[in-house]
Amino acid sequence: MKKKILHLLALGGIGGIESQCADLARYSEEEEHFYFLWGGGVNAEKIKCCTDRVVVRGFKCADIVREYLVFDRYVRTNRIEYVIVQGVSPVMLLFAGILKKTLQSTRLILYLHANAEDLFKKRYILALFRWVSAIADGHIAISRSVKQSLEGICRLDKVTVIYNGTDYKRFDHIRKYDIDRPIQMIFIGRIVRVKGIDLLIDALSNVRYPFALSIIGDGAAKEELIDLVKRSKMQQKICFVGPKPDIEKWLAKADLFVHPARWNEGFGITLIEAMSSGIPCVAFRRGAIPEIIEDGLNGYLVDEVSVEGLRDKLDHIILQRITDPQKFITISQEAKRRAKEFDIHVYAQNVSRYLEML
């Protein structure tokens, strides 16, 4: 019999969590429900194309009691067996905690998508999380890095690591390696400071070999970074193309994925998407990145979070591609093999098996 699972989310727009839920809606063998508290978006619409078990609310604090009652009624009416809280929004945690207190037969799982230092910047969120954590039936962390960051916050023996997944087949295509052209780099993600795009631009200003970089995404730092590119006189080499729903087409044209995040990344699902496309990734050795990439085998790691460290690694990669193209191709192929371990089907099976054990 199929499990009745409800995913409680904030919004249905662009993002790793939302994208993974859209893949889950398409491929899961369980009865998945998706409940967006604050509104929909592109991924909520994708989910609606796969299932009618989607609720999009327009939550307002003034209506918090009524909104909780709507949520509670949905869970009871649909006889939901598992509620998975996809985030640590105070309202989501509050709703989940009250539900668990009043409907103990429903299993409650807290899903941790980032390291504690980023999840709990405000004390009241940490206090609320600790209360809900104590009554929750389980916790899922997206990496060992995230799990270890929770030490002292919740019981680690209640935390299971399940790596994120993506639709491997969506990015699986025959790749032609054009070694004779300048290396085509790509970044995909939110354009915010923690993603380290400024470090990448500064590093590229001193790279010795020809390159081109496409930056896909949007965010608060975009205009500032456009000005940085102009000051560095690299407008012909670096292009901001905005958010794109068809990222697989952009990845198909790229040679190297650059992920210069300066924070302790909880996982990095765009890395898996790039690797699924047969593109090696370069990133700082921080957070969960070393759990995905092995330096020199299926990608490249930069030990020092600095412009100089990133520049030296990029010089090394581009030179390797020129002087030892077969080595670069081998690393690309190993990246693709590694990515298959994170296929959405593997992810869905892992989550299903975990729920059975609760």
Side-chain angles (χ1 to χ4, degrees):
M1 183 177 292
K2 292 184 177 182
K3 303 177 187 67
K4 296 175 179 285
I5 306 167
L6 183 142
H7 299 267
L8 180 60
L9 299 104
L11 293 164
I14 294 174
I17 302 172
E18 296 79 9
S19 175
Q20 181 170 260
C21 283
D23 287 338
L24 197 60
R26 187 177 297 111
Y27 296 114
S28 174
E29 296 181 359
E30 309 295 356
E31 183 183 308
E32 309 280 358
H33 297 246
F34 302 89
Y35 198 104
F36 299 95
L37 268 178
W38 276 272
V42 61
N43 277 302
E45 293 306 311
K46 286 182 181 179
I47 295 172
K48 287 180 180 179
C49 292
C50 303
T51 176
D52 59 358
R53 296 186 294 270
V54 182
V55 177
V56 177
R57 303 294 299 172
F59 178 86
K60 292 181 174 59
C61 288
D63 297 328
I64 189 168
V65 174
R66 181 172 64 86
E67 285 293 337
Y68 174 77
L69 292 176
V70 172
F71 169 69
D72 181 276
R73 184 165 59 250
Y74 185 88
V75 172
R76 293 174 188 269
T77 301
N78 290 278
R79 298 180 180 179
I80 299 298
E81 299 170 285
Y82 305 90
V83 171
I84 300 180
V85 184
Q86 301 272 7
V88 295
S89 152
V91 174
M92 291 163 63
L93 289 173
L94 182 62
F95 278 22
I98 296 173
L99 182 74
K100 184 60 183 176
K101 284 288 190 180
T102 58
L103 191 63
Q104 295 185 6
S105 60
T106 299
R107 298 287 185 267
L108 174 63
I109 300 94
L110 301 181
Y111 210 125
L112 292 312
H113 292 274
N115 282 287
E117 63 194 71
D118 301 299
L119 291 173
F120 307 119
K121 292 181 178 180
K122 297 182 179 179
R123 290 184 179 180
Y124 71 91
I125 297 179
L126 176 58
L128 189 55
F129 175 83
R130 281 181 163 149
W131 170 64
V132 181
S133 174
I135 58 176
D137 297 282
H139 304 64
I140 296 175
I142 61 173
S143 65
R144 296 195 302 271
S145 173
V146 169
K147 178 175 180 176
Q148 290 304 315
S149 75
L150 296 169
E151 187 170 7
I153 294 175
C154 65
R155 287 174 47 190
L156 293 189
D157 61 334
K158 290 181 66 176
V159 181
T160 295
V161 174
I162 299 179
Y163 289 114
N164 283 339
T166 193
D167 185 359
Y168 180 86
K169 287 186 178 180
R170 176 186 170 195
F171 302 95
D172 185 19
H173 51 260
I174 298 173
R175 172 169 291 279
K176 295 180 180 179
Y177 297 96
D178 187 356
I179 302 299
D180 295 326
R181 68 176 182 177
I183 191 168
Q184 305 296 302
M185 302 182 190
I186 190 169
F187 167 89
I188 300 174
R190 291 180 297 121
I191 303 180
V192 292
R193 187 180 184 279
V194 294
K195 293 296 184 178
I197 308 170
D198 57 319
L199 301 178
L200 174 58
I201 294 170
D202 285 340
L204 289 173
S205 67
N206 289 304
V207 163
R208 293 176 289 172
Y209 305 101
F211 71 89
L213 169 67
S214 297
I215 298 175
I216 297 178
D218 208 348
K222 183 176 179 178
E223 294 304 319
E224 177 186 342
L225 293 172
I226 290 174
D227 288 340
L228 178 58
V229 170
K230 290 178 180 177
R231 292 197 304 272
S232 303
K233 299 180 179 179
M234 291 192 291
Q235 301 97 312
Q236 301 303 313
K237 297 180 178 180
I238 300 176
C239 179
F240 290 81
V241 297
K244 297 292 179 181
D246 56 344
I247 58 170
E248 65 275 12
K249 294 180 181 179
W250 289 84
L251 289 170
K253 298 182 287 186
D255 302 308
L256 181 71
F257 187 91
V258 190
H259 187 78
R262 50 168 41 100
W263 69 332
N264 286 319
E265 191 81 67
F267 182 78
I269 203 162
T270 52
L271 293 172
I272 301 305
E273 293 171 340
M275 293 167 73
S276 298
S277 299
I279 304 173
C281 303
V282 56
F284 293 120
R285 193 188 294 273
R286 298 209 64 184
I289 304 302
E291 299 177 44
I292 303 170
I293 297 173
E294 187 172 343
D295 187 38
L297 176 65
N298 53 34
Y300 305 91
L301 294 176
V302 183
D303 293 326
E304 178 187 348
V305 181
S306 69
V307 171
E308 294 76 15
L310 184 56
R311 179 202 61 208
D312 291 347
K313 181 63 77 169
L314 290 173
D315 268 337
H316 165 75
I317 295 168
I318 301 173
L319 182 60
Q320 181 186 72
R321 182 173 175 271
I322 295 169
T323 61
D324 191 358
Q326 188 53 52
K327 175 64 175 176
F328 184 84
I329 291 172
T330 299
I331 290 175
S332 302
Q333 293 169 339
E334 287 297 325
K336 192 172 184 66
R337 275 192 278 272
R338 173 64 170 148
K340 201 164 188 177
E341 299 175 27
F342 301 97
D343 180 62
I344 190 65
H345 295 88
V346 175
Y347 166 79
Q349 290 168 7
N350 288 339
V351 172
S352 182
R353 282 194 292 264
Y354 171 69
L355 296 181
E356 288 173 1
M357 295 186 299
L358 294 178

